[in-house]
Amino acid sequence: MSSSTGSLRRSAGSLLIVVVVWELVGKLELIAGGTFPPLSAIFGRLYDDRADYPQHLAATLRSAGIGFAVGSVIAIGCGILFAQFKMLERIFRGVSITFFAVPLIVLVPVLLLAFQGTMPRIILAIIAVYFPVMVSTLIGVRDIDPRLAEVIRVSGGTDRDVMRFVRLRAALPAIFAGLRVGGPGALLGVMLVEFGGGVRWGLGTYLLGSLGRGEPARLWGIGLLATMIAGISYGVFSWFGAYFLRTNLSTTVSMKASSTTLDSDDRYTGLQRLVLGIASFCTVLVLWSGALRLMNLSPVVARGPVAVVRYLFTGARGADARDRLLSALGETLPLAGIGLMFGLLAAFVLALLLDLFPIVGSAFFPFALISQSMPLPALTPLIVLVFGRSVLATVVVTFSVTFFPSYVTIAQALSSSPQGAIDVAESYGARRLQVLRFIRLPQAIGSLLTAARLAAPRALLGVMIAEYLATGNGLGNLLNESRGKLDYGMIWTVGAVSVTFAVLLTQIISKLERQIGRKFLV
Amino acid sequence: MNQLSRRQFIGRSAAGGATLLGLSAFLNACAKSDGKTSSGGSASPLSMQAAWINDAEFMGYFIAMTNGYYAAEGIELNYLSGGPDVIPESSLLSGIAPLALTTPDSTIKAIVDDGAPFVIVGTQYQKNPIGIVSLKKSNINEPKDLIGKTLAVPPVNTITVEAMLKISGVDKSQLTIVPYAYDPTPLIKGEIDASMDFTTNVPYTISQLGEEASSFLLYDFGVTLYNDTVVVTKDALSSQRELIVKWLRASRKGWEENFKDTTKYPAMFADSYFKGTGRTIENEVFFNGAQQPLMESDGGFFSMSDEGIENNLRALSEIGIKGTKEMFDTSLLAEI
């Protein structure tokens, strides 16, 4: 690790290179006949449009801020509760994973049916924030250095004291790591509703109104502004996280390799596991139908689990609906798999490269952030002009949504190799490459599955977005067409099926992860 | 590990429940502060669901709000903008608004398939502004010219494009249909040959970008549909009939005022309805002028003639949607 001024200078240097290259590529119209605008044009456009922005920005920040705050409170509360009552966590696991895996574009039309005003925006932000913050809180509170808890207990402290003096304090860096991911998520969720929901003010609204102008500089300006907000929130929470990491744990080395898994099921018997699995599944169904009943929606619009099953299997058009659904799934699922592989592979290679050449990392970071917070409708013309509307375009979009979370997970594993092991290797004269090969690499391979688990639902989302923006195939298109035809049964079916597959995929990878983890990472 | 007593558990759960209740109250408060506060008085509130974000398509309603035409009729109008994820019929079904501007194809399909309780009481457009927009140099002047080409269609307009192809005898497999994402860039760059959109709107943008556009209306090639049909729920029709008639009267007045000078109001709304929409006032002026011939009719704005209704039903029956005359109710217009 170099000094902070050194890394700052390096970041500034590489940022300069990014700016110059971007400007040249844009000015010379190298990409898609000038559809990728130079930075100067983007900022010029931002300046020209400066009168438009304040109200949009204020509206977006307000909803995202409320959603983020409320979502964080709920998520941290749930994380602490789940860490204490493991059974509760297990029963609500289906709900948690559903919130994590649900493609947000499926939720937007549904939320717009059920709520008015700013509610749909706030709720989507809460859903986007919930999972990362809940999981990181749960893990932070749970995986403490057991010696610290012993100290409290030996001194006559209760579990409550352990929670207060050890767990909550030790969890702070993890909680901030969760908030760091949740911030951009809340922003994107809010913009998604603004874009689709007939909202008067908001960056998403401005994006929709501007799409029809065919002026990429405006669209990129909106995207860059969103990126900047995401970047600032990411930076602020990173700083807090680092601060608490320094003040908290300066002397301790965690005894337990940090894991990002939820509680393992090992201590249950097969039967217990089955019962818990069913309970967790039923909780989702009960909440789904309960929520619909509470909102008192028309049964034509709002379909519960029973109505979806009836639509598919006993309804007059059931056979036709099943055919359309199956052929859409056949198009979507393989692509999600391919996109996920590419995203993981690229993230893995890049994380290794960056570990060897940190300078590339700081140059790469702005792009990574853009890929996270640049609204995809703004990028669609660029994508279809460069990659066409084929499988390639779909894979590219999927790649762009899966790559970053995978990269973060793998890079974290690389950098969190136990310092003791590295010290041992270095004292025997190991070079950087050897440390990488013998210590960091095995650690990173272990994290691949973790990355895959986190990225799998996003891969499905990526394919669906590409399908409805560019290719017109698969589940994404089916969802959109069904909206045009007011085929509410199909809208809910696509939602339920896509969540089911995302959850299944997550669970399968999670199982693999635990089995492999038991072999290698004890 | 946790030896928590049952009482503690209940206590904590109750605290958690209370927190959640507090949260939802807080959220409601946050959400409500954004909405309009009701002014009280004798005016009757009425919500209408529009079909898209604020643009010239809805000039008449903006004028009627600004000039107090609704207030004069005793209506306190709650105008709800639309967007790509807003299905106006859904707003009717879920009780968000009793009155919505819809496309007749989706509305009639919902009545036929699901028995949706809708009645069409008027239409904003006598001729649907939706058409095929292309660059002049592509020489696409009728549906048959699309054979072998790539056409971008908003996925929500699938029924409309199916109707066009069926009526003009073109098979779906003879052209490539891709999703339209509301951005004309792929059209300008030649990545697609044509797009399906409002002919009142996109040709202006294309001319701004230095290309010459050509377009034709689907209406002129057999897809004789209305658009922005005024649809109310059966419930509203029986309980708020007077109010709906008043709404039609005030809205008609708004549109009449608008077409006295199509350039006047767009500029006036630059700092209100059209502020910060991302679109230009010049674009709205173009739109406003272009939509005039599609809206005017002998019976006055919103009117639905027997012939017009039959045309709609015939076009829809071509694609297997069997509507009936009873789905239209012209008696409210007669009372204006």
Side-chain angles (χ1 to χ4, degrees):
Chain A
M1 267 280 142
S2 58
S3 71
S4 72
T5 50
S7 77
L8 207 66
R9 202 176 306 140
R10 214 163 44 203
S11 293
S14 47
L15 193 65
L16 191 71
I17 295 172
V18 171
V19 167
V20 171
V21 171
W22 186 328
E23 181 67 21
L24 278 177
V25 167
K27 265 267 164 3
L28 300 175
E29 308 202 337
L30 293 180
I31 296 180
T35 304
F36 182 72
L39 271 177
S40 57
I42 297 172
F43 282 106
R45 196 59 212 243
L46 264 175
Y47 183 77
D48 291 340
D49 297 332
R50 64 192 178 281
D52 285 350
Y53 276 102
Q55 263 176 294
H56 291 303
L57 199 57
T60 301
L61 286 178
R62 182 173 174 277
S63 317
I66 294 172
F68 179 72
V70 174
S72 303
V73 169
I74 296 175
I76 292 172
C78 286
I80 294 172
L81 217 59
F82 290 164
Q84 284 198 295
F85 309 106
K86 295 205 166 119
M87 193 66 98
L88 206 59
E89 186 276 317
R90 194 60 194 75
I91 287 170
F92 276 92
R93 187 178 292 177
V95 178
S96 297
I97 294 176
T98 302
F99 278 150
F100 169 61
V102 60
L104 294 185
I105 53 165
V106 174
L107 276 182
V108 177
V110 172
L111 285 175
L112 288 172
L113 289 181
F115 299 99
Q116 288 175 268
T118 37
M119 272 301 234
R121 281 169 269 177
I122 294 173
I123 292 174
L124 207 64
I126 291 174
I127 291 173
V129 167
Y130 170 77
F131 190 80
V133 177
M134 186 279 287
V135 169
S136 48
T137 306
L138 170 60
I139 289 162
V141 169
R142 189 188 62 195
D143 295 350
I144 53 159
D145 186 339
R147 291 172 303 182
L148 291 173
E150 287 309 311
V151 171
I152 303 279
R153 289 218 182 80
V154 166
S155 332
T158 60
D159 278 346
R160 189 174 289 211
D161 295 321
V162 174
M163 176 58 85
R164 197 167 133 207
F165 294 114
V166 179
R167 294 186 188 275
L168 285 182
R169 293 206 55 180
L172 282 176
I175 291 174
F176 278 105
L179 294 175
R180 188 170 73 170
V181 180
L187 181 70
L188 210 60
V190 166
M191 284 180 67
L192 215 55
V193 180
E194 290 168 345
F195 184 86
V199 172
R200 180 64 180 93
W201 295 104
L203 288 177
T205 311
Y206 194 49
L207 179 68
L208 176 66
S210 302
L211 271 185
R213 300 171 63 119
E215 292 174 11
R218 160 80 69 83
L219 306 181
W220 278 86
I222 299 169
L224 280 191
L225 200 65
T227 305
M228 265 155 58
I229 301 167
I232 290 170
S233 93
Y234 189 93
V236 167
F237 289 115
S238 296
W239 185 87
F240 275 115
Y243 173 79
F244 284 113
L245 196 63
R246 272 200 310 276
T247 54
N248 252 357
L249 298 167
S250 48
T251 54
T252 50
V253 181
S254 176
M255 297 289 281
K256 198 172 165 188
S258 81
S259 63
T260 46
T261 43
L262 294 171
D263 230 7
S264 91
D265 282 343
D266 290 349
R267 58 211 170 84
Y268 299 117
T269 66
L271 185 68
Q272 281 173 323
R273 243 181 276 174
L274 188 71
V275 170
L276 281 173
I278 291 171
S280 148
F281 180 67
C282 289
T283 315
V284 176
L285 298 186
V286 166
L287 281 183
W288 173 5
S289 37
L292 293 186
R293 194 153 302 174
L294 272 180
M295 289 184 281
N296 203 12
L297 293 171
S298 147
V300 178
V301 175
R303 308 278 170 106
V306 179
V308 165
V309 171
R310 217 181 283 152
Y311 170 82
L312 275 181
F313 296 101
T314 62
R317 284 162 291 160
D320 174 53
R322 284 199 304 273
D323 281 350
R324 285 186 295 150
L325 183 68
L326 284 178
S327 75
L329 272 174
E331 285 170 343
T332 302
L333 289 180
L335 286 176
I338 295 171
L340 178 61
M341 302 283 207
F342 273 106
L344 283 175
L345 190 71
F348 186 68
V349 170
L350 203 90
L352 282 186
L353 275 178
L354 296 191
D355 197 61
L356 285 175
F357 312 105
I359 188 158
V360 190
S362 36
F364 162 76
F365 193 71
F367 285 108
L369 212 58
I370 288 173
S371 80
Q372 285 317 282
S373 43
M374 186 78 187
L376 277 165
L379 288 180
T380 307
L382 189 67
I383 292 167
V384 299
L385 285 169
V386 176
F387 302 102
R389 293 180 190 263
S390 56
V391 173
L392 189 61
T394 312
V395 171
V396 167
V397 172
T398 312
F399 171 86
S400 80
V401 297
T402 51
F403 169 77
F404 187 67
S406 316
Y407 165 73
V408 169
T409 310
I410 297 168
Q412 210 164 16
L414 274 175
S415 66
S416 68
S417 307
Q419 192 57 40
I422 295 174
D423 288 344
V424 169
E426 278 175 350
S427 65
Y428 281 99
R431 295 202 193 111
R432 200 177 174 80
L433 205 61
Q434 285 166 314
V435 170
L436 182 80
R437 186 173 151 202
F438 292 114
I439 295 163
R440 292 187 194 269
L441 201 57
Q443 187 106 15
I445 290 172
S447 70
L448 255 182
L449 279 172
T450 312
R453 174 167 52 82
L454 295 174
R458 296 186 58 110
L460 195 62
L461 173 67
V463 174
M464 287 177 69
I465 290 177
E467 284 169 343
Y468 97 87
L469 285 178
T471 66
N473 299 325
L475 275 185
N477 195 58
L478 184 59
L479 177 67
N480 238 347
E481 275 193 6
S482 311
R483 292 199 328 231
K485 293 180 172 172
L486 302 185
D487 190 347
Y488 295 102
M490 188 54 95
I491 295 175
W492 287 88
T493 301
V494 171
V497 165
S498 56
V499 172
T500 307
F501 271 96
V503 170
L504 269 182
L505 213 58
T506 311
Q507 290 300 84
I508 291 169
I509 299 172
S510 164
K511 200 165 179 66
L512 274 176
E513 192 185 352
R514 261 181 258 126
Q515 277 170 353
I516 290 179
R518 231 174 321 198
K519 270 184 199 153
F520 293 104
L521 293 173
V522 173
Chain B
M1 199 167 71
N2 277 293
Q3 303 291 324
L4 198 80
S5 75
R6 191 168 160 267
R7 183 179 297 171
Q8 266 177 310
F9 177 79
I10 292 170
R12 287 190 201 174
S13 313
T19 318
L20 273 180
L21 278 179
L23 262 175
S24 78
F26 169 72
L27 278 177
N28 271 321
C30 290
K32 280 212 180 94
S33 70
D34 207 39
K36 281 175 192 159
T37 46
S38 58
S39 58
S42 59
S44 313
L46 178 68
S47 294
M48 73 170 278
Q49 176 66 63
W52 198 246
I53 55 171
N54 292 3
D55 62 18
E57 186 179 347
F58 311 105
M59 290 297 307
Y61 315 107
F62 299 147
I63 293 171
M65 282 189 279
T66 307
N67 293 357
Y69 301 161
Y70 292 120
E73 296 284 347
I75 301 173
E76 190 193 313
L77 188 70
N78 178 26
Y79 177 90
L80 303 166
S81 310
D85 287 329
V86 177
I87 312 165
E89 284 93 342
S90 306
S91 295
L92 296 174
L93 287 173
S94 57
I96 289 172
L99 185 152
L101 302 177
T102 73
T103 50
D105 42 355
S106 57
T107 299
I108 291 177
K109 190 174 189 301
I111 302 175
V112 174
D113 286 357
D114 296 317
F118 299 152
V119 183
I120 302 171
V121 298
T123 185
Q124 180 182 321
Y125 289 111
Q126 302 296 327
K127 289 184 175 183
N128 190 351
I130 280 194
I132 303 296
V133 183
S134 58
L135 302 185
K136 193 148 206 159
K137 59 191 181 197
S138 311
N139 213 17
I140 297 173
N141 303 311
E142 56 169 320
K144 283 203 159 49
D145 293 340
L146 288 167
I147 293 174
K149 306 277 189 189
T150 300
L151 170 70
V153 178
V156 289
N157 288 339
T158 316
I159 303 180
T160 320
V161 78
E162 278 170 8
M164 175 191 78
L165 295 176
K166 179 82 201 303
I167 289 168
S168 43
V170 178
D171 194 81
K172 213 175 172 179
S173 63
Q174 289 176 288
L175 68 162
T176 311
I177 296 179
V178 297
Y180 178 56
Y182 312 107
D183 188 331
T185 306
L187 183 63
I188 303 279
K189 299 284 179 192
E191 194 265 329
I192 55 172
D193 302 300
S195 63
M196 203 171 118
D197 202 336
F198 271 32
T199 55
T200 45
N201 190 25
V202 201
Y204 172 81
T205 317
I206 293 172
S207 70
Q208 288 298 294
L209 296 169
E211 289 281 353
E212 207 177 342
S214 75
S215 63
F216 60 83
L217 287 174
L218 299 191
Y219 192 95
D220 294 334
F221 290 89
V223 192
T224 47
L225 294 175
Y226 293 147
N227 199 355
D228 283 344
T229 31
V230 181
V231 176
V232 297
T233 56
K234 281 190 169 157
D235 247 11
L237 192 58
S238 58
S239 65
Q240 295 179 290
R241 187 190 167 89
E242 268 315 295
L243 202 61
I244 298 165
V245 172
K246 287 175 175 174
W247 181 90
L248 283 167
R249 193 181 296 131
S251 302
R252 176 180 280 181
K253 205 172 164 194
W255 282 112
E256 284 166 350
E257 173 66 16
N258 176 50
F259 289 120
K260 284 178 187 162
D261 175 3
T262 54
T263 61
K264 179 181 169 191
Y265 282 98
M268 266 180 66
F269 294 153
D271 276 320
S272 52
Y273 295 108
F274 295 151
K275 188 180 178 197
T277 56
R279 299 161 52 84
T280 62
I281 297 304
E282 295 75 37
N283 193 349
E284 307 303 0
V285 169
F286 176 91
F287 193 147
N288 204 20
Q291 70 184 348
Q292 186 164 5
L294 306 179
M295 284 180 61
E296 285 175 336
S297 84
D298 297 337
F301 293 112
F302 295 111
S303 67
M304 302 186 293
S305 66
D306 288 346
E307 191 197 349
I309 292 173
E310 269 161 33
N311 284 341
N312 271 273
L313 293 174
R314 185 165 9 89
L316 288 177
S317 73
E318 290 277 353
I319 47 168
I321 300 175
K322 304 276 177 224
T324 63
K325 281 188 90 162
E326 285 65 47
M327 296 169 184
F328 299 80
D329 185 346
T330 55
S331 66
L332 289 86
L333 286 159
E335 288 175 32
I336 292 187

